[in-house]
Each structure stands twice: as C-alpha cells, then as structure tokens.
Amino acid sequence: KSGSMVGARTSEYLLEKSRIVTQASDERNYHVFYEMLAGMSAEEKKKFGLQTASKYFYLNQGGSCDIPGRDDVENYRVLTGALHVLNIEGNDKDTIYKILASVLHIGNVYFKRVHDSSHDTVLLGNDAELKWISHLLQLSEDWLRQALTSKVTETRGDRVVSPYNIDQALDSRDAIAKALYSRLFTWLVERINLITCRAEREKSTSLALLDIFGFEDFHTNGFEQLNINYANETMQFF
C-alpha cells in the first residue's frame, strides 16, 4: 500500500510543571533551556540577558547541566529548523525566547527576610532579574515587585494587600514561572495544530499515540508528583 499523512493533531494531556522549578539529583529541566543557552550566539544571549546553564537555579539543581552523548548545540539547530518549518518566525519566535528567558530570570529572583513587630515579610534581594523580566515581558517593575512579594485580595470594593513571608514568596515565584511555561507550551501545541491539522479525516483511518511515563519515585515527592503518578498509572491501566 502507498499513501501519505494528510494531517495530525496533538492533544496536550499532562505537563509536568514541577520539573520547571525543581529537579532531582542527576536530572535536568526541559531540554530546550540547555539547548537555547548552548546554541544561541553571544549577541542573542545578550539580547535576552542570558548566561550559561550552570548560573540558573532552575537548571543546576540536578547537578551537571550536560548529558553524555547529547549535543545541545546540534539539537538547538534542529529546533530552530523545526520552528522555520512551522513558519514560526520573527516576533513569534522572539516571544518564545523571551518567555523562556523570563522563566530562567524568575528562578534567580531571591528574597531577603524582614521581621517587623507582627510577622515576617520579604524584600527582593536585588532588582537585576526584576529589570530583565520587566523588559522581556513588557511589565511594570512596580507591579511585578508587588506580585512577587505580596498578594492582593479584593472584596466588596476593598483592595487589601497582604505581604508574603519567605515561603509564600518562593511559592509565588515558582508558580509564576510554571504558569509562563505552561501557557507557552499550550500556545505552541495550538499553533502546531493549526498548521498540521488541516484535512478532515475519517475516524476509521486515524492512529493515536500516547506518550506517557510510568510511576516515578523521587527523594522528595510533593502533591503535584502524586497527581502525575496517579494520572500516569490510570492512563497505563486504560
């Protein structure tokens, strides 16, 4: 028999967001970060305020940032080629790198504990990363500083600002990073589907592939990991 693929559709089932902000020993974050930092020119990295992978908290927790036998420079070349094939160029391509760079800058935001008469609060350790995030995402520095150090509650027209303690500030920082990456991931899946899912297809001629891992047991297993394991095992059983 002969034939060719007339279209494809990707469904986003589960994104392991915990990996974006923390990795176990000998594990890496998502490969794109390392490929980007290894493959970009010095001029490009300067444009996004980027350094080497070992400088980023979200990339160095697992230990070595390199994997034997994996060529991050070559994989970055393949990635940029894939973006070209998908017609993701210009501003869209720039925006992808701005968001990925912002995730790394957010991970390097740190806080100083401040104790007053009633409770602990925090201040940003320095403004360097804040300025880069603000520049890349076109956000107000003051608004971003408030979002990282306090929460705003609105009830019946009142607006109450509650300062974070150190644990709440770190959780908020990580939540922002995970949300940024997740939104980008979802947008990319939708964009790819717009390009590859063109022809109407008969259900009888479809082929579905499920890429899913089994149970994972790390040194530290949080609630998100429990959800991931439960979902993976349920899908495997199905």
Side-chain angles (χ1 to χ4, degrees), residues 12-146:
E12 180 188 347
Y13 175 68
L14 181 70
L15 176 67
E16 191 180 344
K17 287 184 280 190
S18 58
R19 182 178 295 275
I20 299 160
V21 300
T22 183
Q23 303 89 46
S25 179
D26 296 325
E27 283 203 331
R28 297 210 306 182
N29 201 323
Y30 288 111
H31 295 307
V32 65
F33 292 111
Y34 306 92
E35 293 168 359
M36 179 174 71
L37 295 177
M40 277 184 169
S41 67
E43 185 179 346
E44 284 179 300
K45 285 199 278 192
K46 183 178 179 181
K47 177 180 177 181
F48 300 111
L50 294 172
Q51 306 175 68
T52 58
S54 61
K55 301 289 186 182
Y56 293 100
F57 178 63
Y58 284 166
L59 302 184
N60 62 22
Q61 295 174 61
S64 175
C65 293
D66 299 316
I67 294 180
R70 186 176 182 89
D71 188 339
D72 287 325
V73 174
E74 171 60 15
N75 287 332
Y76 179 73
R77 188 193 65 77
V78 172
L79 171 65
T80 54
L83 292 176
H84 176 71
V85 169
L86 292 168
N87 200 30
I88 298 177
E89 304 280 4
N91 288 335
D92 285 344
K93 185 177 175 182
D94 240 26
T95 300
I96 291 172
Y97 292 139
K98 284 179 180 178
I99 293 173
L100 292 174
S102 294
V103 169
L104 296 181
H105 287 300
I106 288 170
N108 279 13
V109 168
Y110 68 96
F111 303 93
K112 291 181 179 179
R113 194 192 309 265
V114 178
H115 183 74
D116 61 23
S117 57
S118 57
H119 55 272
D120 286 339
T121 60
V122 295
L123 293 174
L124 286 181
N126 65 51
D127 287 343
E129 301 294 359
L130 184 80
K131 290 182 182 298
W132 270 111
I133 301 163
S134 173
H135 167 68
L136 293 170
L137 299 181
Q138 294 296 289
L139 296 172
S140 157
E141 284 187 38
D142 291 339
W143 180 89
L144 190 56
R145 182 181 288 104
Q146 179 176 306

Side-chain angles (χ1 to χ4, degrees), residues 13-14 16 18 212-218 220-237:
Y13 175 68
L14 181 70
E16 191 180 344
S18 58
I212 202 80
F213 285 97
F215 191 89
E216 294 179 314
D217 183 17
F218 298 119
T220 301
N221 295 283
F223 181 65
E224 185 173 354
Q225 188 60 45
L226 172 65
N227 291 338
I228 291 168
N229 282 340
Y230 179 77
N232 286 351
E233 289 298 302
T234 302
M235 291 298 292
Q236 290 278 27
F237 178 76

Side-chain angles (χ1 to χ4, degrees), residues 184-238:
L184 173 60
F185 189 86
T186 298
W187 178 84
L188 276 170
V189 171
E190 292 174 352
R191 179 66 179 267
I192 290 169
N193 282 335
L194 281 174
I195 296 166
T196 60
C197 184
R198 297 195 175 199
E200 289 293 327
R201 59 177 172 80
E202 296 179 19
K203 291 184 179 179
S204 60
T205 60
S206 67
L207 174 67
L209 298 175
L210 175 65
D211 179 15
I212 202 80
F213 285 97
F215 191 89
E216 294 179 314
D217 183 17
F218 298 119
H219 180 69
T220 301
N221 295 283
F223 181 65
E224 185 173 354
Q225 188 60 45
L226 172 65
N227 291 338
I228 291 168
N229 282 340
Y230 179 77
N232 286 351
E233 289 298 302
T234 302
M235 291 298 292
Q236 290 278 27
F237 178 76
F238 175 75

